[in-house]
Amino acid sequence: MAEKWVQVWGQAHSALSHFYYPSCEKTYRTVISSAISGKKIRIELCNNPAKTPVEIGGITVAKCDENGIFINNEFKTVTVNSKESFVLGKNEMVISDPVDLDIKVDEYFCISIYVVNGKLCSGNLLNNVNLITVKGDYTKISHAENQPRVRDSVRKVASVVLGMGFHKPIPLINTVELLNEENASSIVMFGDSITQQGFWTNAFEKRIRENFKGRYAVINRSIMGNRILKDFSTRFPCPGLFGISGIKRYEKDILRFPDAEYIVFVLGTNDFLQYGTISAPKSEKPTPEEAFNAVKELADKAHKLGKKFIAMNVLHFGLAADSRPEKDALLLEYNRLLMENKDCFDMVYDQASLCIDKNKPNCSRKELLGRDKIHPNFEGGQIVANNFDLSIFE
């Protein structure tokens, strides 16, 4: 079979805001479990959005165990334009030179990046990898013991208080690709925090691995608070955390990757829930038709490139503190438009009906939701993942 570069891991960058890494002279080791195989690896680094350049002192890759300890103490040096150290400019994105690394399905590998100088303000809060941070240059040292920071304690408290999963931020890395010889491709998740925080996506990814071993990598390019139609509001206390609109980031995060065979679209919650709150002004109220037409246009763009587009409707949020009858009505109409126009998409997954409270048609079942009454809990995530019809991937 022909060789092609396939995403094995990736994320959608937004401003890390108060979760950023202000100090330097640290090594950031990201440990990844590979769903596909590959003979070579290359890494796309991103410093967008950012306020300052970042000085990189060195990067290595290595096969490792789940704790990030190198196998046989072996590693490979990664270069960018043949340089081991370089400056990643403000809002810059670069791709490393390819490196020989024989990765098999379900094996672990790690990427160790030594940052000499600069604030790390760009990345995402994902929990599908293990990030180890340690002071000093550990790029060529097998064992790196994670050193917690004060901000991690604050992040954990915020998660409990707000009922959300504020995971440890993953900086710098935008995409990791393997040179694959087995016709693998990627399934890219494009959503907000309900998708980003792994409530159902991690269980979905496990099912994909079990049913299509070595065939697909699931890439989570979701951003908490993200909307289809609008960028983050400047009134929100965490500037830039919610990212630019889905329609603006679609090309960068999805369409430019030839290996992205399937797009699972799960945006819409925040378009209808955020307006009139601390997150967005009332003037940013959308119509269901505007949101639906935007999603249809995104699906059309995907189809022109031979990609398949799976639309998921929005879970009912009637129990949430920011819910209002007007917002519930807008959501119901948006979901209706999706369900009545299934022919615009390759598949529409009706997760809303799956989780609905039959006695309260504007609400999801309370026992399936977390503390904020918006995000699924573990049980809710399992139900959404387990009822996803995988036959489309065959």
Side-chain angles (χ1 to χ4, degrees), residues 4-19:
K4 68 174 181 178
W5 288 102
V6 180
Q7 300 171 82
V8 65
W9 187 82
Q11 62 180 349
H13 277 236
S14 66
L16 292 179
S17 190
H18 304 304
F19 302 103

Side-chain angles (χ1 to χ4, degrees), residues 91-159:
N91 297 325
E92 185 179 11
M93 192 159 60
V94 299
I95 299 178
S96 75
D97 304 317
V99 176
D100 291 332
L101 194 70
D102 188 6
I103 299 291
K104 294 179 174 58
V105 176
D106 291 335
E107 287 188 335
Y108 287 91
F109 67 92
C110 62
I111 302 166
S112 302
I113 305 175
Y114 175 51
V115 177
V116 179
N117 197 14
K119 298 177 180 179
L120 306 186
C121 300
S122 178
N124 206 322
L125 286 69
L126 295 180
N127 69 341
N128 57 5
V129 292
N130 177 25
L131 177 65
I132 298 167
T133 60
V134 58
K135 293 181 180 179
D137 184 358
Y138 275 73
T139 55
K140 300 176 182 179
I141 299 175
S142 176
H143 184 255
E145 192 74 32
N146 183 65
Q147 297 172 345
R149 55 181 188 150
V150 174
R151 287 171 186 265
D152 288 333
S153 301
V154 175
R155 174 177 53 79
K156 291 176 181 178
V157 171
S159 296

Side-chain angles (χ1 to χ4, degrees), residues 28-144:
Y28 297 82
R29 179 170 295 175
T30 305
V31 183
I32 299 169
S33 173
S34 184
I36 61 172
S37 63
K39 298 294 184 182
K40 294 178 183 288
I41 186 171
R42 68 182 184 189
I43 306 159
E44 185 176 69
L45 301 173
C46 182
N47 192 31
N48 180 24
K51 297 180 179 179
T52 61
V54 174
E55 183 181 352
I56 306 295
I59 305 174
T60 61
V61 293
K63 295 174 70 170
C64 63
D65 63 16
E66 61 182 335
N67 298 309
I69 299 174
F70 300 168
I71 301 298
N72 298 325
N73 206 34
E74 296 177 353
F75 62 87
K76 297 286 185 70
T77 298
V78 177
T79 59
V80 172
N81 295 325
S82 302
K83 296 179 180 179
E84 293 186 20
S85 59
F86 56 94
V87 173
L88 186 60
K90 176 183 175 181
N91 297 325
E92 185 179 11
M93 192 159 60
V94 299
I95 299 178
S96 75
D97 304 317
V99 176
D100 291 332
L101 194 70
D102 188 6
I103 299 291
K104 294 179 174 58
V105 176
D106 291 335
E107 287 188 335
Y108 287 91
F109 67 92
C110 62
I111 302 166
S112 302
I113 305 175
Y114 175 51
V115 177
V116 179
N117 197 14
K119 298 177 180 179
L120 306 186
C121 300
S122 178
N124 206 322
L125 286 69
L126 295 180
N127 69 341
N128 57 5
V129 292
N130 177 25
L131 177 65
I132 298 167
T133 60
V134 58
K135 293 181 180 179
D137 184 358
Y138 275 73
T139 55
K140 300 176 182 179
I141 299 175
S142 176
H143 184 255

Side-chain angles (χ1 to χ4, degrees), residues 39-309:
K39 298 294 184 182
K40 294 178 183 288
I41 186 171
R42 68 182 184 189
I43 306 159
E44 185 176 69
L45 301 173
C46 182
N47 192 31
N48 180 24
K51 297 180 179 179
T52 61
V54 174
E55 183 181 352
I56 306 295
I59 305 174
T60 61
V61 293
K63 295 174 70 170
C64 63
D65 63 16
E66 61 182 335
N67 298 309
I69 299 174
F70 300 168
I71 301 298
N72 298 325
N73 206 34
E74 296 177 353
F75 62 87
K76 297 286 185 70
T77 298
V78 177
T79 59
V80 172
N81 295 325
S82 302
K83 296 179 180 179
E84 293 186 20
S85 59
F86 56 94
V87 173
L88 186 60
K90 176 183 175 181
N91 297 325
E92 185 179 11
M93 192 159 60
V94 299
I95 299 178
S96 75
D97 304 317
V99 176
D100 291 332
L101 194 70
D102 188 6
I103 299 291
K104 294 179 174 58
V105 176
D106 291 335
E107 287 188 335
Y108 287 91
F109 67 92
C110 62
I111 302 166
S112 302
I113 305 175
Y114 175 51
V115 177
V116 179
N117 197 14
K119 298 177 180 179
L120 306 186
C121 300
S122 178
N124 206 322
L125 286 69
L126 295 180
N127 69 341
N128 57 5
V129 292
N130 177 25
L131 177 65
I132 298 167
T133 60
V134 58
K135 293 181 180 179
D137 184 358
Y138 275 73
T139 55
K140 300 176 182 179
I141 299 175
S142 176
H143 184 255
E145 192 74 32
N146 183 65
Q147 297 172 345
R149 55 181 188 150
V150 174
R151 287 171 186 265
D152 288 333
S153 301
V154 175
R155 174 177 53 79
K156 291 176 181 178
V157 171
S159 296
V160 173
V161 172
L162 298 176
M164 296 177 64
F166 291 111
H167 305 302
K168 192 172 184 179
I170 313 298
L172 293 173
I173 300 173
N174 190 64
T175 307
V176 183
E177 295 176 300
L178 297 181
L179 190 61
N180 179 268
E181 298 176 335
E182 299 178 356
N183 199 34
S185 59
S186 58
I187 301 168
V188 185
M189 320 300 284
F190 194 74
D192 50 38
S193 59
I194 292 175
T195 306
Q196 173 240 13
Q197 294 182 21
F199 294 104
W200 72 273
T201 43
N202 290 348
F204 170 81
E205 197 267 351
K206 182 180 179 182
R207 287 190 69 203
I208 292 293
R209 285 204 191 207
E210 292 172 348
N211 287 274
F212 306 98
K213 194 173 183 66
R215 175 68 178 86
Y216 297 109
V218 176
I219 312 298
N220 193 341
R221 293 194 182 274
S222 304
I223 298 175
M224 70 164 59
N226 203 226
R227 294 184 284 181
I228 303 170
L229 300 168
K230 298 288 186 181
D231 298 345
F232 63 89
S233 173
T234 54
R235 71 188 283 176
F236 187 58
C238 297
L241 184 66
F242 290 171
I244 61 173
S245 68
I247 56 176
K248 285 185 181 177
R249 68 184 183 91
Y250 191 58
E251 169 66 33
K252 173 179 175 287
D253 289 338
I254 303 283
L255 295 187
R256 69 186 177 95
F257 294 100
D259 66 281
E261 186 176 354
Y262 294 88
I263 301 162
V264 181
F265 185 91
V266 212
L267 280 174
T269 300
N270 297 294
D271 289 77
F272 302 112
L273 189 59
Q274 276 186 14
Y275 76 90
T277 70
I278 191 175
S279 300
K282 289 183 179 179
S283 60
E284 294 186 352
K285 170 187 172 182
T287 67
E289 291 77 16
E290 287 174 329
F292 171 78
N293 289 335
V295 178
K296 181 181 179 301
E297 183 177 344
L298 298 182
D300 291 342
K301 289 181 178 180
H303 290 153
K304 288 178 181 178
L305 295 173
K307 303 180 186 299
K308 294 185 178 180
F309 193 98

